[in-house]
Amino acid sequence: MDEPVDVVAEEEEEELEETEETEETEESLDSEVPEEEDEELEDEELEELEEEEEEEFVEAKRRRKEKDEMEEDIVEERFYTIPLRKAWIVPRKKRAPKAARIVKAFVLKHMKVRTEAEGEEEPEKLVIDNTVNEKIWSKGIEKPPRKIKVRVVKDKEGVVSVLLAEGD
């Protein structure tokens, strides 16, 4: 149990030598890469990060501007859940096209869209967004959804846009 004093002293010396060796290797690694190169690399990385941040800022600003312009043009905005159950009455291979016609008819009726020109006024246009069409056709021609949630927007020029509601 009691070790001679010389053995304990030898073990302590070995531990000291190991720690000194690790410190020397760390110092040699630090000395291999000159400090000037480290600073140059850091400067280049900082410049790249600044450029990326600036690009992101410009992109966000552009999106915000487009959104503001879009909001200024909006005269009327409504959210509807359009029932498409009548599309399931028709034969299998005609259901998705029927569902698209139902969406169009529903929006024309509820937004009071004038399709024919009265006097000097231009007829209003109805634009169904591609995402709505993709949602209708998502399961194929035979199985359109039973109902669909849409956001209908009417702008200053009388153009009515049917967009898929967020979260759907």
Side-chain angles (χ1 to χ4, degrees):
M1 195 172 208
D2 292 327
E3 294 181 9
V5 178
D6 294 333
V7 174
V8 173
E10 289 176 8
E11 289 178 359
E12 290 177 359
E13 288 176 12
E14 288 176 7
E15 289 177 10
L16 286 173
E17 289 175 5
E18 288 177 5
T19 55
E20 289 175 1
E21 289 176 8
T22 56
E23 289 174 0
E24 289 175 6
T25 56
E26 289 177 1
E27 290 175 4
S28 65
L29 289 175
D30 290 340
S31 65
E32 287 178 8
V33 179
E35 292 180 13
E36 294 175 2
E37 289 181 14
D38 285 342
E39 291 175 2
E40 290 176 7
L41 292 175
E42 290 175 1
D43 291 341
E44 291 175 5
E45 291 173 357
L46 285 174
E47 289 175 7
E48 290 175 9
L49 288 175
E50 289 174 357
E51 290 175 5
E52 291 175 6
E53 290 174 356
E54 185 176 330
E55 290 172 3
E56 290 173 3
F57 177 74
V58 170
E59 182 68 23
K61 190 174 181 181
R62 183 185 59 80
R63 275 191 243 123
R64 235 182 283 123
K65 186 177 180 182
E66 288 176 1
K67 187 177 180 182
D68 290 342
E69 289 174 1
M70 182 70 169
E71 288 177 359
E72 290 174 3
D73 292 342
I74 294 175
V75 174
E76 189 175 1
E77 177 181 33
R78 295 183 182 175
F79 291 88
Y80 291 111
T81 300
I82 303 174
L84 301 175
R85 69 177 79 89
K86 290 184 180 179
W88 287 77
I89 296 172
V90 298
R92 283 185 179 179
K93 297 293 183 181
K94 298 180 181 180
R95 289 180 182 168
K98 176 69 174 178
R101 287 193 300 273
I102 290 171
V103 169
K104 182 177 179 181
F106 185 93
V107 172
L108 287 173
K109 178 180 177 182
H110 289 273
M111 293 297 286
K112 300 179 180 110
V113 177
R114 289 177 279 119
T115 55
E116 297 177 11
E118 299 173 2
E120 296 179 11
E121 295 180 11
E122 293 182 24
E124 295 175 341
K125 294 172 70 176
L126 176 67
V127 178
I128 297 177
D129 192 44
N130 197 28
T131 55
V132 175
N133 192 40
E134 288 174 359
K135 179 73 174 176
I136 292 171
W137 286 83
S138 64
K139 296 181 195 171
I141 195 167
E142 295 181 5
K143 298 179 181 178
R146 299 287 178 156
K147 57 188 174 183
I148 188 169
K149 293 180 183 177
V150 295
R151 179 176 72 124
V152 183
V153 178
K154 190 175 200 177
D155 64 3
K156 289 180 181 176
E157 289 107 33
V159 177
V160 178
S161 301
V162 182
L163 308 165
L164 196 60
E166 292 182 17
D168 194 30

